[in-house]
């Protein structure tokens, strides 16, 4: 174990290299045009990061307004019932379609994926830029509906309500349709990149697990999103032309819409969570300084989740009136899809066993994820059991479960990944203390907000309610206090990260001790990512790196048997 | 002290007829069944959650990095037997939960042959309950310990019929009939909600289940069915306007809804589409109820459904008498 510090070559340009002063992708071209027309995946990733975090802010503001209204059970001076209905619809639509679905793949994935592959860029850089502008176009069309008659259907657009309400459903739906193409193109790009651009030495089972997660997601994006597109087109046709596919008054079937919608939207939940699981797999290994435990099981479980996720959409419809047989099959498959997630959790825990656990900010998000995703996953068992589902369906219990999985899972992993790759993206370290304070406040605030909603829901509080019986007021007040705490936590996170851009300590190439390829180039990376094409080794061989106090980061150990000379 | 704490913890996760931390009061036989499964899943979840979090905390404390150059203790990178075990055990557990949840669901969906049938209609934003006698009410009245089946449909969009105390819920879909049943076990009043989002008044779509003592339901139904005889015509008319869905579109306070207000309507001239006018007399009101498209008031859409066959002559007369009082 007595390894001596070394600053020998660790990827061609020397370890500990910070490239802020010299040539890097941020300084490679200058001026607005060099950004707007860039084909560099790193710049496109950053542009995604900006617009996606803006969407997160917007959706968060809607959430805060909703929670503030719900402090009292009756009418509110803040908003009337129609405005409230528009608020929760916009909160859902913005968070889902603009933030969480593209969040990890398009922002973090775009930046990191080619680096993990040791590649210069994604397979189709032009399509990558196109998909960014499709995102922007779709977002503008969707958000345009706020001005022309904000949608009040809920983010699920259930018919016949959505075909009869007088708000601008067509604009919102058309926007989501365009966003779908952005998602498909991103997925396509990633699938081809992973198939064709893997470097020498990187077989399928030597890929970093984040790539497995992204790969599963990309498959889902390509296969499920077209169904959403068709469904939304039919909805537009129904509204504009009255073709009568979904409207019972014209001989249509409103339940058919639900089948179509969930055929996409259930896999979409896994589009959101799979890359998050990938991030956790990376982080837990690096911050435990240990090889990931049970690599093969984790990799296969991603694929198992991707496949099974196509077969469980009917669990959103247990009380819709679908047949008992359908209910039985969907319930069974729903329980089966829980298994791969459980396997991953046990593998992550086993990775920590006998590790050397560093409680840096990204690792705090990992612990937070295990806690919150644990609750999110286990509460899924209540909802999968048919008889219990009947009671809990469409109550706050479902709201809480969904947020534990999507925020407690995906957003927490996103924040963990953001803190993990931040030094690589910008070449600066953020303040560790404030990073931890932010993570802690987010954790406490989140639990206060949403655990309360589990109790309220099982007590029978229906979701999407402007008025509620006064029995539920104490829960709502507690939940709102939690939401404010959560917001303060997120503001601290944002300020801390923004502050680091100007005042942060220059980051070394490998601040955390990761063994994947992105840590073997400078922070921030050069335009072409790597000076020479790297050869991939075991992505979890973190023990091959050791901390060097002089550069504040990790360097490759000298090969065994050859004590390095200082 | 210690015993009290343990008692509380157990109570926290147990099934209680009077309602507890998690579940509301058990008002039906179905509620008892659902709560048992809920408890099982709760205990399974608590077990696994405590296991995960305590291992996590233990590892963090035991193996935390004290120096930046600390290394991990060598340990296996995988262990197939262990991994197969922790895949298999959850599979067995979830299959048990699945089977129990499904069989209970089946039982809760098949009504007994002799159940008392009530027709439920959901409309924006009100529930209507039609009894075999033909009486229509805004609340659901039933007799204790009697199986009641509900035949439900919607007049407009999808609604969700939900009684938390009975653990009973089903979407109510236009153009379809769905059936539900329950057996109430305790007299009292229980909340009904709409759980499928349906627009502006979604969260106001409340009603009550009133569970009567034995014999009480029959007395109530007879009295309620005879309100035309026991109330003055104007009072009966007010009740009809409130309970039969008129008030959803026609206010009595002077503001226009989907339809014109009832305030100061009777006895005045009404401006119609096409520039004509008509006096709002008894015949006009009757015609507007039975043939709503015959005369459309200026500024409104011809969207009112006919009430032919849904209101009797006597009921229409009562409504007319009520409108006369709205000056």
């Amino acid at each position: 174990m007595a390894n001596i510090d070394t600053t020998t070559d660790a990827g061609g340009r020397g370890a500990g290299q910070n490239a802020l002063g010299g040539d890097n992708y941020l300084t490679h071209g200058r001026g607005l045009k060099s950004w707007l027309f860039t084909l560099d995946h790193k710049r496109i990733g950053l542009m995604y990061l900006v617009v996606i975090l803006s969407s997160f802010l917007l959706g968060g503001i809607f959430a805060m307004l909703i929670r503030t209204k719900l402090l009292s059970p009756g009418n509110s001076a803040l908003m009337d019932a129609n405005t409230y209905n528009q608020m929760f619809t916009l909160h859902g639509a913005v968070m889902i379609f603009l933030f969480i679905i593209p969040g990890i793949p398009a922002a973090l994935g775009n930046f990191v994926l080619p680096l993990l592959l040791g590649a210069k860029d994604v397979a189709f850089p032009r399509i990558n830029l196109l998909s960014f502008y499709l995102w922007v176009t779709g977002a503008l069309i969707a958000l345009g509906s706020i001005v022309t008659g904000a949608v009040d259907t809920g983010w699920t657009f259930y018919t016949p309500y959505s075909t009869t309400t007088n708000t601008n459903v067509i604009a919102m739906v058309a926007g989501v349709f365009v966003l779908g193409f952005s998602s498909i193109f991103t997925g396509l790009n990633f699938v081809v990149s992973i198939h064709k651009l893997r470097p020498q030495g990187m077989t399928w089972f030597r890929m970093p697990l984040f790539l497995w997660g992204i790969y599963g997601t990309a498959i889902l994006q390509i296969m499920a999103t077209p169904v959403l597109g068709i469904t939304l087109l039919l909805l537009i046709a129904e509204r504009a032309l009255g073709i009568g596919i979904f409207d019972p008054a014209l001989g249509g079937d409103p339940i058919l819409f639900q089948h179509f919608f969930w055929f996409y939207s259930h896999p979409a939940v896994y589009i959101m969570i799979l890359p998050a699981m990938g991030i956790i797999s990376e982080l837990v290994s690096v911050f435990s300084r240990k090889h990931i435990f049970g690599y093969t099981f984790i990799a296969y479980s991603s694929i198992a989740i991707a496949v099974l996720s196509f077969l469980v959409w009917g669990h959103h419809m247990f009380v819709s009136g679908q047949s008992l047989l359908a209910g039985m099959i969907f319930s069974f498959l729903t329980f089966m899809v829980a298994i791969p997630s459980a396997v991953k959790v046990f593998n992550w825990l086993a990775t920590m066993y006998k590790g050397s656990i560093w409680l840096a900010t990204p690792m705090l998000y990992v612990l937070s994820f295990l806690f919150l995703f644990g609750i999110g996953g286990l509460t899924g068992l209540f909802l999968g059991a048919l008889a219990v589902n009947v009671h809990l369906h469409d109550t706050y219990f479902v709201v809480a479960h969904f947020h534990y999985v999507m925020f407690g899972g995906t957003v927490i992993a996103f924040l963990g990944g953001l803190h993990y790759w931040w030094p690589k993206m910008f070449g600066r370290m953020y303040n560790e203390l404030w990073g931890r304070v932010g993570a802690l406040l987010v954790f406490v605030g989140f639990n206060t907000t949403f655990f309360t909603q589990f109790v309220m829901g099982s007590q029978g509080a229906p979701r999407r309610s402007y008025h509620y019986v006064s029995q539920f007021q104490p829960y709502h007040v507690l939940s709102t206090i939690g939401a404010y705490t959560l917001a303060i936590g997120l503001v601290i996170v944002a300020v801390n990260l923004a502050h680091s851009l100007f005042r942060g300590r220059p980051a070394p190439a490998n601040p955390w001790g990761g063994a994947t390829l992105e840590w073997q180039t400078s922070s921030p990376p050069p335009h072409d990512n790597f000076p020479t094409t790297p050869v991939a080794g075991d992505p979890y061989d973190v023990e091959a790196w050791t901390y060097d106090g002089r550069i504040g980061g990790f360097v490759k150990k000298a090969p065994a048997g050859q004590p390095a000379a200082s | 002290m210690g015993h009290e704490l343990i008692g509380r913890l157990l109570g926290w996760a147990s099934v209680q007829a009077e309602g507890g931390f998690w579940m509301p009061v058990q008002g039906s036989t179905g509620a008892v069944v659902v709560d048992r499964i809920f408890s099982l899943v709760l205990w399974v979840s608590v077990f696994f959650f405590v296991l995960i979090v305590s291992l996590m905390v233990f590892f963090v404390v035991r193996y935390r990095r004290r120096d930046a150059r600390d290394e991990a203790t060598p340990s296996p990178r995988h262990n197939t037997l262990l991994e197969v075990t922790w895949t298999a055990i959850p599979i067995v557990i979830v299959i048990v939960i699945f089977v129990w949840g499904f069989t209970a669901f089946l039982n809760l969906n098949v009504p007994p042959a002799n159940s008392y049938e009530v027709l439920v209609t959901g409309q924006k934003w009100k529930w209507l309950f039609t009894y075999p006698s033909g009486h229509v009410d805004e609340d659901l009245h039933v007799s204790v310990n009697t199986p009641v089946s509900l035949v439900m449909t919607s007049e407009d969009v999808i609604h969700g019929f939900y009684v938390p105390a009975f653990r009973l819920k089903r979407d109510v879909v236009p153009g379809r009939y769905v059936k539900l049943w329950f057996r109430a076990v305790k007299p009292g009043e229980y909340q009904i909600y709409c759980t499928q989002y349906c627009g502006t008044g979604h969260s106001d779509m409340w009603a009550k289940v009133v569970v009567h003592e034995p014999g009480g339901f029959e007395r109530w139904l007879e009295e309620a069915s005879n309100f035309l005889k026991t109330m003055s015509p104007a009072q009966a008319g007010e009740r009809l306007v409130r309970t039969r869905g008129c008030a959803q579109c026609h206010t009595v306070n002077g503001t226009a809804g989907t339809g014109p207000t009832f305030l100061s309507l009777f006895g005045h001239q009404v401006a119609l589409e096409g520039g004509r006018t008509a006096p709002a007399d008894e015949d006009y009101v009757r015609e507007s109820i039975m043939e709503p498209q015959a005369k459309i008031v200026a500024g409104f859409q011809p969207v009112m459904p006919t009430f032919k066959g849904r209101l009797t002559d006597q009921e229409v007369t009562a409504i007319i008498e009520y409108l006369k009082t709205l000056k």
Side-chain angles (χ1 to χ4, degrees), chain A residues 1 3 5 81-82 85 88 152-154 158-161 164 248 253-255 258 286-295 297 318-321 324 328 331-332 335-336 339 342-343 345-347 349-350 352-359 367 370-371 374-375 378-379 381-382 385-395 397 451 454-455 457-469 472 475 512 538 541 543 545-547 554 557, chain B residues 12 19-25 33-35 37-39 41-46 48-49 51-53 55-57 59-61 63-80 82-84 86-87 90-91 93-95 97-98 100-102 104-106 108-110 124-125 156-158 162-176 178 191 193-204 206:
Chain A
M1 282 290 132
N3 278 294
D5 287 341
N82 286 329
N85 294 340
F88 77 69
D152 70 338
T153 60
Y158 271 18
T159 55
Y161 187 79
T164 49
D253 182 359
I255 304 295
Q258 298 180 23
V286 169
F287 289 93
S288 303
R289 283 202 53 67
K290 245 191 84 194
H291 194 282
I292 190 85
F293 184 88
Y295 176 97
F297 266 64
F318 283 155
V319 302
S320 73
L324 296 180
M328 180 187 87
S331 168
F332 179 76
F335 279 116
M336 288 304 114
I339 302 297
V343 168
V345 170
F346 295 137
N347 277 302
L349 279 175
M352 290 167 65
Y353 172 68
K354 288 193 172 177
S356 164
I357 297 168
W358 180 12
L359 291 180
L367 301 179
L370 288 173
F371 187 101
I375 295 180
L378 289 166
T379 49
L381 299 179
F382 294 84
L386 276 163
V388 181
N389 178 287
V390 170
H391 176 59
L392 300 174
H393 209 101
D394 285 332
T395 67
F397 192 94
F451 198 84
F454 278 125
V455 184
S458 67
Q459 287 286 353
R463 64 184 185 146
R464 295 178 167 178
S465 293
Y466 177 75
H467 292 138
Y468 57 87
V469 294
F472 294 123
Y475 300 105
W512 314 117
D538 183 339
D541 190 18
E543 284 151 272
W545 294 70
T546 190
Y547 187 77
F554 285 75
K557 286 175 188 169
Chain B
W12 183 74
F21 180 77
W22 288 105
M23 287 297 205
V25 62
V33 178
V34 169
D35 287 7
I37 309 174
F38 184 91
S39 289
V41 182
L42 186 59
W43 281 112
V44 168
S45 301
V46 168
F48 277 100
F49 179 69
L51 180 76
I52 292 168
V53 172
L55 279 177
M56 183 175 101
V57 170
F59 291 164
V60 165
V61 174
Y63 304 118
R64 75 178 181 282
R65 199 179 301 179
R66 289 173 178 79
D67 181 273
R69 281 195 270 169
D70 279 356
E71 300 284 339
T73 318
S75 62
R77 287 179 176 187
H78 67 95
N79 181 326
T80 309
L82 187 64
E83 290 175 77
V84 168
W86 71 44
T87 311
I91 290 182
I93 292 173
V94 297
I95 286 182
I97 299 173
F98 158 72
W100 199 6
F102 170 64
F105 180 70
L106 267 191
L108 296 175
N109 267 285
V110 182
K124 288 180 183 172
W125 291 284
D156 37 53
V157 298
I158 303 177
Y162 180 36
V163 188
F166 296 173
R167 321 287 189 261
L168 193 71
K169 184 184 292 119
R170 184 60 69 83
D171 281 2
V172 179
V173 183
R176 285 192 184 192
V178 292
Q191 185 74 39
Y193 294 106
C194 174
T195 47
Q196 192 59 270
Y197 171 72
C198 58
T200 314
H202 164 62
S203 64
D204 301 322
W206 292 349

Side-chain angles (χ1 to χ4, degrees), chain A residues 443-528:
Chain A
F443 177 77
V444 172
F446 175 82
N447 279 299
T448 314
T449 312
F450 290 105
F451 198 84
T452 318
Q453 297 187 8
F454 278 125
V455 184
M456 186 162 45
S458 67
Q459 287 286 353
R463 64 184 185 146
R464 295 178 167 178
S465 293
Y466 177 75
H467 292 138
Y468 57 87
V469 294
S470 52
Q471 170 205 343
F472 294 123
Q473 189 170 16
Y475 300 105
H476 275 297
V477 171
L478 188 59
S479 183
T480 303
I481 292 170
Y484 293 156
T485 313
L486 176 56
I488 293 169
L490 289 170
V491 168
I492 290 175
V493 169
V495 170
N496 186 38
L497 289 178
H499 178 264
S500 77
L501 293 178
F502 306 100
R503 296 287 169 79
R505 172 171 72 82
N510 190 356
W512 314 117
T516 39
L517 293 176
E518 80 274 31
W519 305 112
Q520 301 180 26
T521 185
S522 59
S523 301
H527 177 71
D528 291 331

Side-chain angles (χ1 to χ4, degrees), chain B:
Chain B
M1 184 65 198
H3 284 282
E4 199 183 312
L5 187 69
I6 292 168
R8 272 220 196 143
L9 279 174
L10 287 175
W12 183 74
S14 69
V15 170
Q16 288 157 315
E18 294 310 312
F21 180 77
W22 288 105
M23 287 297 205
V25 62
Q26 294 174 340
S28 70
T29 49
V32 181
V33 178
V34 169
D35 287 7
R36 273 193 214 121
I37 309 174
F38 184 91
S39 289
L40 168 83
V41 182
L42 186 59
W43 281 112
V44 168
S45 301
V46 168
F47 172 79
F48 277 100
F49 179 69
V50 170
L51 180 76
I52 292 168
V53 172
S54 36
L55 279 177
M56 183 175 101
V57 170
F58 174 72
F59 291 164
V60 165
V61 174
R62 174 76 181 71
Y63 304 118
R64 75 178 181 282
R65 199 179 301 179
R66 289 173 178 79
D67 181 273
R69 281 195 270 169
D70 279 356
E71 300 284 339
T73 318
S75 62
R77 287 179 176 187
H78 67 95
N79 181 326
T80 309
L81 181 66
L82 187 64
E83 290 175 77
V84 168
T85 310
W86 71 44
T87 311
I89 292 176
I91 290 182
V92 173
I93 292 173
V94 297
I95 286 182
V96 171
I97 299 173
F98 158 72
V99 170
W100 199 6
F102 170 64
T103 46
F105 180 70
L106 267 191
N107 292 332
L108 296 175
N109 267 285
V110 182
N114 59 346
S115 55
Y116 184 85
E117 205 170 270
V118 179
L119 185 69
V120 181
T121 313
Q123 55 174 251
K124 288 180 183 172
W125 291 284
K126 195 163 192 61
W127 297 104
L128 291 179
F129 301 93
T130 310
Y131 297 85
S133 69
H135 173 65
V136 179
D137 205 87
E138 55 185 341
D139 287 319
L140 174 60
H141 291 258
V142 298
S143 193
V144 70
N145 287 325
T146 308
V148 175
S149 60
L150 306 173
V151 179
M152 312 196 294
T153 191
S154 164
E155 300 259 300
D156 37 53
V157 298
I158 303 177
H159 300 282
F161 181 84
Y162 180 36
V163 188
F166 296 173
R167 321 287 189 261
L168 193 71
K169 184 184 292 119
R170 184 60 69 83
D171 281 2
V172 179
V173 183
R176 285 192 184 192
Y177 291 94
V178 292
K179 258 191 187 182
L180 270 189
W181 81 279
F182 63 91
R183 187 200 301 262
V185 292
K186 214 177 299 178
E189 291 193 351
Y190 304 96
Q191 185 74 39
I192 297 172
Y193 294 106
C194 174
T195 47
Q196 192 59 270
Y197 171 72
C198 58
T200 314
H202 164 62
S203 64
D204 301 322
M205 209 167 146
W206 292 349
K208 280 198 163 47
V209 187
V210 183
V211 179
H212 292 270
E213 302 278 2
F217 170 70
E218 288 74 11
R219 273 199 302 282
W220 169 84
L221 183 62
E222 182 168 342
E223 207 178 295
S225 308
N226 287 336
F227 72 97
L228 285 169
K229 292 185 192 121
T230 55
M231 287 180 171
S232 74
Q235 278 174 330
E238 188 273 335
R239 188 196 162 106
L240 286 163
V241 164
R242 190 160 41 82
T243 59
R244 292 298 180 85
C246 313
Q248 261 69 43
C249 300
H250 302 279
T251 70
V252 294
N253 62 11
T255 55
T258 308
T261 180
F262 285 159
L263 187 68
S264 306
L265 167 70
F266 196 86
H268 294 81
Q269 290 288 324
V270 179
L272 301 177
E273 283 291 334
R276 291 178 302 132
T277 61
D281 57 9
E282 285 86 347
D283 284 330
Y284 170 81
V285 175
R286 190 189 157 78
E287 183 190 52
S288 299
I289 293 172
M290 296 305 185
E291 310 273 356
Q293 320 305 346
K295 296 191 175 75
I296 302 298
V297 179
F300 293 92
Q301 298 294 314
V303 292
M304 179 170 157
T306 174
F307 280 74
K308 201 181 275 180
R310 291 164 70 185
L311 290 173
T312 63
D313 286 350
Q314 207 182 355
E315 287 169 334
V316 172
T317 309
I319 290 173
I320 292 169
E321 290 309 309
Y322 171 55
L323 294 193
K324 286 181 186 173
T325 67
L326 297 172
K327 299 217 168 71

